[in-house]
Amino acid sequence: MLAAGGALALAASSGLLAGCGADAKDGGGSDRFRAAFTAGGSQETLDPHVAPNFVDQARAKALYDTLGTYADDMSVRERLAESWESDASGTRWRIRLRKAEFHDGKPVTAKDVLYSYRRAADPATGSPSQVLLSAIDFHATRADGERSVVFALKAPNFEFPTVFAGPGTEIIPDGTKDFRKPVGSGPFTYVSFTPGGTARYRRWTGHWDGAPHIAELEIVPANEESARLNALLSGQVHYASDMAGASVDRLKKEGSTRLLTAGRATAQQLLLRTGRKPFDDPRLVRAVQLGIDRAALVRVALAGHGEVGNDLFGLGLRGYPQGLEPRERDIGEARRLVKEAGAEGLHITVETSSVDATWEPAADLMAHQLREAGLRLTANTRASSTYFSEIRTQGVAAFNTTSTLPVSDFLQQRVRGGAARNQTQYASKKFDTLLEHARTTRDEQNRLALLARAQKIARDESGLLVWAFSDANDAIGPSVRGLRAAPPNSHDWARFDRVRIG
């Protein structure tokens, strides 16, 4: 498709894009918006409950809708849900639906919501929100009229609304099993889709939030960053996702295009597996924390397009602890801890990949920095196609990234003891107790204070080192209006129904 890079990529893509000719009846070629994303290959599907990649989420946002949506700070706003409220215990939540229709004219009802959530909560489906949805007691949950649902939870949870907006929670018609010609309630209707190829959609005038401004939307595959850049500069696409490094600098100099830069959008992490040697020794975790130079990593590995991290996820988001002192480099203390642990000259392998262009230069620089502390760090580069599945079980240290999510959900899914995505194998009864206490506390300020206490513990102990926050950069052509910079997973990111061309 567009994946070959450079002139070859543009030549290869011309046939793909030229095949999408204008239809006079729906606005013509000037009314068709094309967005380039990294594709997921031949296994892709339009099943919205299986949305591991950003391109999947962009397609889902076009076709479907969710009960809620995330603001930039990951607080929750209404979408298909008109309102929600809990009882005093936090175990019963009533959601009232607004009047909305699916593309086939049928109303969105409580039965559709229950079917969608049961399906996404099934581990066999593979929804990224499965763990959060598993907190629902579906035997006690019920429809209370056509547009009202009462969710029963297995335990109190006053953070439950964060589930409504998560990827993999889209509402589909009751009984849907076939997604070859999907029906949703989103702003665009399905036209065609080839797994690993182009997805094409048409404006739906019956959308509850107003019809899109463009007649058609095409999401096209371009796996190489250079291919997305060149397609944008040549005018073959209007939107190029995920620009970084030299491409960002080139676009700034070029001038005719516009960058949409969302700061702090991605947490750059080094995962130290505290459940295995050598990082079962907290002195070595601490030595790595103090031995790396975060400012240098941002300057070199991120080419300055980001800011220093402080070993906690979610800087700037609702629930992030305020007033934390920065983690300063202290090579003398790092060296002392290594010596005290009897680990001088210890060889550590860190898993990395080309999945993120910053990881390999970061690994090289960290190796140089930690050598001063007496540790020998070497990188093991794994294939991008299998990287994330392999690091779940293999190795003692690995690079990882996480885009914007609600802080409470991140802690539940990635840090809580025994959580399926807790890749450092951290286990702390004190942390888990504070996290659970926060979820069962009704008062918002008290709940956030408990979350802050839990995070301060995990910051020192969990082995999850957030060394930086990198910017998210998407780029748009000179004729595009109606898009703004927004963090991935938020409401306004890839909000193509608000786009205008010209």
Side-chain angles (χ1 to χ4, degrees):
M1 302 299 179
L2 298 179
L8 178 60
L10 294 177
S13 66
S14 61
L16 170 71
L17 299 183
C20 302
D23 296 331
K25 64 181 181 181
D26 58 32
S30 64
D31 211 10
R32 178 177 291 113
F33 185 83
R34 296 185 176 114
F37 284 82
T38 301
S42 61
Q43 300 304 308
E44 286 183 326
T45 173
L46 292 181
D47 181 346
H49 296 156
V50 184
N53 301 314
F54 284 139
V55 66
D56 301 303
Q57 294 178 39
R59 287 190 292 246
K61 187 174 284 190
L63 276 174
Y64 307 97
D65 221 327
T66 49
L67 294 183
T69 188
Y70 293 138
D72 285 11
D73 68 351
M74 296 290 108
S75 57
V76 184
R77 302 290 182 265
E78 298 84 357
R79 194 69 182 162
L80 284 175
E82 195 171 57
S83 65
W84 53 77
E85 59 187 1
S86 75
D87 65 1
S89 71
T91 58
R92 291 289 188 279
W93 288 82
R94 180 183 295 276
I95 289 85
R96 293 181 174 85
L97 302 177
R98 70 175 69 253
K99 288 184 178 180
E101 292 182 350
F102 290 110
H103 300 148
D104 60 5
K106 295 179 181 178
V108 178
T109 69
K111 288 184 178 180
D112 302 309
V113 172
L114 288 175
Y115 174 78
S116 300
Y117 274 31
R118 284 193 180 101
R119 184 176 185 273
D122 184 348
T125 301
S127 168
S129 292
Q130 184 272 325
V131 172
L132 300 174
L133 291 169
S134 67
I136 300 171
D137 180 355
F138 286 103
H139 294 293
T141 294
R142 59 185 175 83
D144 185 27
E146 187 175 72
R147 292 194 291 118
S148 179
V149 182
V150 177
F151 283 105
L153 306 186
K154 297 172 184 176
N157 182 7
F158 288 100
E159 289 287 306
F160 182 61
T162 62
V163 175
F164 305 162
T169 64
E170 285 78 5
I171 306 306
I172 60 177
D174 183 17
T176 300
K177 296 179 181 178
D178 188 345
F179 294 93
R180 287 175 294 181
K181 294 183 178 180
V183 171
S185 62
F188 295 93
T189 60
Y190 169 84
V191 175
S192 62
F193 172 60
T194 302
T198 297
R200 185 178 177 187
Y201 310 97
R202 182 166 287 125
R203 171 173 55 207
W204 185 44
T205 58
H207 190 240
W208 66 268
D209 197 28
H213 300 303
I214 54 174
E216 285 199 355
L217 167 66
E218 287 178 2
I219 296 178
V220 301
N223 289 340
E224 296 297 329
E225 182 186 13
S226 59
R228 296 193 297 277
L229 174 66
N230 289 329
L232 178 72
L233 293 176
S234 67
Q236 294 187 72
V237 300
H238 301 93
Y239 176 101
S241 71
D242 197 18
M243 297 287 101
S247 296
V248 171
D249 295 335
R250 180 180 172 187
L251 287 166
K252 286 181 178 178
K253 292 177 182 177
E254 196 275 336
S256 67
T257 59
R258 184 160 65 95
L259 278 167
L260 304 177
T261 300
R264 304 174 176 176
T266 303
Q268 294 286 348
Q269 304 153 28
L270 179 64
L271 307 177
L272 304 180
R273 190 152 283 164
T274 59
R276 294 181 183 173
K277 292 183 181 300
F279 294 114
D280 58 346
D281 187 333
R283 292 172 296 188
L284 293 180
V285 173
R286 181 72 171 165
V288 174
Q289 290 174 333
L290 296 176
I292 60 175
D293 184 337
R294 298 153 198 268
L297 286 162
V298 169
R299 188 171 59 252
V300 175
L302 299 183
H305 300 297
E307 62 183 281
V308 167
N310 205 8
D311 292 341
L312 280 179
F313 172 83
L315 181 63
L317 302 183
R318 172 188 169 274
Y320 186 88
Q322 302 301 310
L324 285 178
E325 290 294 323
R327 184 87 79 192
E328 300 287 355
R329 191 184 193 213
D330 187 340
I331 197 64
E333 178 63 7
R335 191 182 300 114
R336 187 193 69 78
L337 288 165
V338 170
K339 186 174 182 180
E340 184 181 290
E344 290 177 287
L346 178 67
H347 178 265
I348 299 167
T349 299
V350 62
E351 311 299 331
T352 187
S353 168
S354 61
V355 169
D356 189 309
T358 68
W359 291 352
E360 291 176 276
D364 290 341
L365 187 53
M366 283 185 186
H368 176 76
Q369 294 169 352
L370 292 175
R371 194 177 303 128
E372 298 179 52
L375 298 174
R376 295 169 54 220
L377 187 75
T378 58
N380 177 39
T381 303
R382 294 184 179 272
S384 58
S385 59
T386 56
Y387 179 76
F388 291 107
S389 60
E390 289 176 347
I391 66 168
R392 289 177 187 172
T393 58
Q394 300 180 41
V396 298
F399 283 96
N400 193 30
T401 59
T402 306
S403 294
T404 43
L405 290 170
V407 167
S408 60
D409 289 356
F410 178 87
L411 297 174
Q412 280 289 329
Q413 294 177 306
R414 318 282 177 111
V415 187
R416 177 177 53 82
R421 303 183 74 178
N422 176 350
Q423 296 190 60
T424 69
Q425 299 178 341
Y426 175 60
S428 165
K429 289 183 179 179
K430 187 175 183 181
F431 172 85
D432 291 352
T433 299
L434 281 169
L435 192 60
E436 189 61 26
H437 191 188
R439 290 162 64 83
T440 58
T441 297
R442 185 178 183 88
D443 180 79
E444 170 88 356
Q445 292 307 311
N446 290 340
R447 187 161 68 251
L448 294 180
L450 288 164
L451 283 175
R453 286 175 57 192
Q455 289 172 86
K456 289 174 183 177
I457 293 171
R459 176 175 180 252
D460 291 333
E461 300 177 354
S462 70
L464 194 155
L465 278 65
V466 181
W467 54 271
F469 289 90
S470 52
D471 299 339
N473 292 288
D474 300 321
I476 54 176
S479 65
V480 177
R481 302 290 181 271
L483 287 178
R484 72 171 184 86
N489 296 327
S490 70
H491 175 75
D492 283 333
W493 175 80
R495 192 83 252 167
F496 297 135
D497 51 314
R498 302 296 91 186
V499 165
R500 296 179 186 271
I501 305 174

